[in-house]
Amino acid sequence: MQLSDLKQLKIAVVGAGYGGAAAAKALSLLGAHVDVYEQASRIREVGAGIGLRPATMNRFREWGIFDAVARVSSPSDYFEILSADATPIMSESWPGMDDYAERTRTHLIHRGDFIEALLGVLPEGMVTLGHKLEGIEDKGDHAVLAFANGTTAEADLVVGADGIKSVVRKLLFSEKEPVFSGEHAYRAVISLDDAEGMAADDNLRMYIGRGTKIYLLPLRHRGQVSFDITALCPDGTWAPEVTKDDLLATVQGFDERLVALTRGLDMDTVNIRAVYDIDPVDTWHTDSVVLVGDAAHSMLHHQGQGANSAIEDAGALADALRAADTLPEALAAFQATRKPVTDELQRISRAGWSEAGIDDVFPGQKPGSPGHVAAPAVPAAGKE
């Protein structure tokens, strides 16, 4: 689209999470007028740590916000997969580090620091809180949003970045409900001093065994470690009630240091949730509305690609708007670019990880040998 057209474009972003904040930044750099509407009265990101891949960090460099994110994260060179008893299975440098003019490493960051960094680079007044979307009317060349507080907003383009339970998706694209994975995720942040010496560097480690996966993601810039247990459980309650004994049962047979970390957790600080994703959505856009991030392709966290995919969506949407002649053409190009990638990531993320199954996916990679743990044809595995 011509620069003059982009500057006249009025965009409404629904949701101020990773995808919404990133989309707002990328689209505002085109010169468009962007407003972000968030249902929460304050932004509070719970959970623990995530890894921002080289492609994501390069997007931040393109947008001029690399330093803002780097200041609150730790650069990482590689990740490892180990058995429950800490026997090495695979080790790999993060793919993509040398794909850019400047070497770009994966950065490990706390979820709260990440969303604060993203929102902190948006112009003052761009984000409006306390606006819960209740209705959307697609009029072809524009759309009208209706909020629970009685206000409305019109935009040439509405970006639905409202997460796995997306109202935009449900009203315009798909009424399919989120799908329970049969797993729980238990996440906490602990002091580096309490990590049993298991976080001596800035690299992610995943321990797998008996249907349980334990992720240790150092946040050494904070003096902390992100500790994540993902375990099989039939209870699909969104926020299940879980005891310390329940957690200890999931790590039975693991390295004693990991058991000790679990035993030492303060349950009041553990974020507990059932793990859900969505089935692939056939269509992400109309002529004036488009889905991004979890609203379009929520995926399980086993490949560590949820937040990274949302950032890539934001960049690809901005690229498509810049390159296409019209808004509908841009949205079609965006979906054509991103959907095949995220469909595959959703599929592979559902496959998960198991010690027994690694050799089926990566023939010849025996325990203790170096090897590539990247999912075929998509960015590599790791913690999201």
Side-chain angles (χ1 to χ4, degrees):
M1 297 175 67
Q2 296 295 319
L3 180 60
S4 58
D5 295 328
L6 291 172
K7 287 185 175 181
Q8 293 178 19
L9 198 62
K10 185 175 182 181
I11 300 174
V13 178
V14 180
Y18 306 141
K25 181 61 180 181
L27 298 175
S28 65
L29 289 173
L30 298 177
H33 177 84
V34 180
D35 291 300
V36 181
Y37 299 97
E38 166 59 40
Q39 68 174 350
S41 58
R42 67 186 182 97
I43 304 296
R44 178 177 175 268
E45 182 63 35
V46 297
I50 58 176
L52 303 176
R53 306 303 176 79
T56 299
M57 294 303 298
N58 189 62
R59 280 291 186 186
F60 294 154
R61 182 179 288 116
E62 291 175 0
W63 300 343
I65 65 173
F66 182 98
D67 290 343
V69 176
R71 277 195 297 270
V72 291
S73 61
S74 293
S76 174
D77 292 309
Y78 66 91
F79 65 95
E80 290 186 322
I81 298 177
L82 306 95
S83 65
D85 64 0
T87 300
I89 298 174
M90 294 182 184
S91 177
E92 184 194 354
S93 298
W94 292 104
M97 291 194 296
D98 296 313
D99 288 354
Y100 310 101
E102 184 176 343
R103 195 166 195 264
T104 305
R105 291 186 283 177
T106 286
H107 281 242
L108 308 183
I109 191 169
H110 189 281
R111 292 168 181 265
D113 293 342
F114 183 35
I115 194 63
E116 284 185 10
L118 285 178
L119 293 175
V121 298
L122 298 182
E124 186 175 352
M126 181 177 285
V127 179
T128 302
L129 302 178
H131 277 59
K132 181 180 180 181
L133 184 69
E134 281 198 340
I136 180 169
E137 187 176 0
D138 185 347
K139 294 183 175 292
D141 62 346
H142 70 286
V144 181
L145 301 174
F147 300 99
N149 59 12
T151 62
T152 62
E154 291 190 15
D156 303 308
L157 172 62
V158 171
V159 179
D162 49 342
I164 188 172
K165 297 182 180 179
S166 171
V167 175
V168 178
R169 184 183 71 238
K170 184 174 182 179
L171 293 178
L172 290 184
F173 300 99
S174 173
E175 294 188 1
K176 290 187 289 188
E177 294 295 320
V179 178
F180 178 47
S181 69
E183 293 179 309
H184 284 179
Y186 313 120
R187 291 173 171 165
V189 176
I190 61 177
S191 169
L192 196 62
D193 295 335
D194 297 330
E196 302 285 333
M198 300 190 78
D201 55 31
D202 293 309
N203 300 302
L204 169 71
R205 289 173 177 86
M206 178 175 73
Y207 302 81
I208 56 177
R210 298 189 313 103
T212 294
K213 293 166 282 291
I214 299 177
Y215 303 89
L216 280 182
L217 186 148
L219 300 168
R220 295 203 305 161
H221 58 286
R222 276 173 151 247
Q224 295 177 321
V225 181
S226 177
F227 182 58
D228 181 319
I229 301 169
T230 301
L232 297 174
C233 187
D235 180 7
T237 306
W238 277 94
E241 302 243 346
V242 175
T243 68
K244 175 72 69 65
D245 286 342
D246 294 329
L247 264 64
L248 286 169
T250 69
V251 300
Q252 184 178 358
F254 276 75
D255 184 288
E256 183 52 40
R257 293 170 296 174
L258 297 170
V259 177
L261 289 180
T262 307
R263 188 178 297 116
L265 289 174
D266 177 354
M267 293 301 292
D268 290 336
T269 68
V270 179
N271 176 257
I272 301 169
R273 66 177 180 88
V275 180
Y276 281 78
D277 68 356
I278 61 174
D279 291 327
V281 177
D282 293 336
T283 302
W284 292 2
H285 70 92
T286 65
D287 285 349
S288 60
V289 182
V290 66
L291 300 174
V292 300
D294 282 354
H297 47 68
S298 180
M299 60 190 69
L300 303 184
H301 61 276
H302 303 311
Q303 293 295 323
Q305 291 287 1
N308 288 282
S309 293
I311 305 306
E312 283 298 292
D313 285 352
L317 179 58
D319 291 345
L321 287 168
R322 189 182 293 109
D325 292 330
T326 67
L327 179 56
E329 289 176 6
L331 300 184
F334 164 70
Q335 176 173 319
T337 298
R338 291 294 299 151
K339 182 171 164 54
V341 176
T342 59
D343 281 355
E344 182 68 354
L345 283 170
Q346 285 181 297
R347 184 191 69 79
I348 294 174
S349 295
R350 280 184 171 178
W353 290 101
S354 70
E355 185 175 357
I358 285 181
D359 196 56
D360 293 335
V361 181
F362 308 105
Q365 303 302 329
K366 300 298 183 182
S369 68
H372 294 285
V373 296
V378 294
K383 184 73 186 70
E384 177 219 335

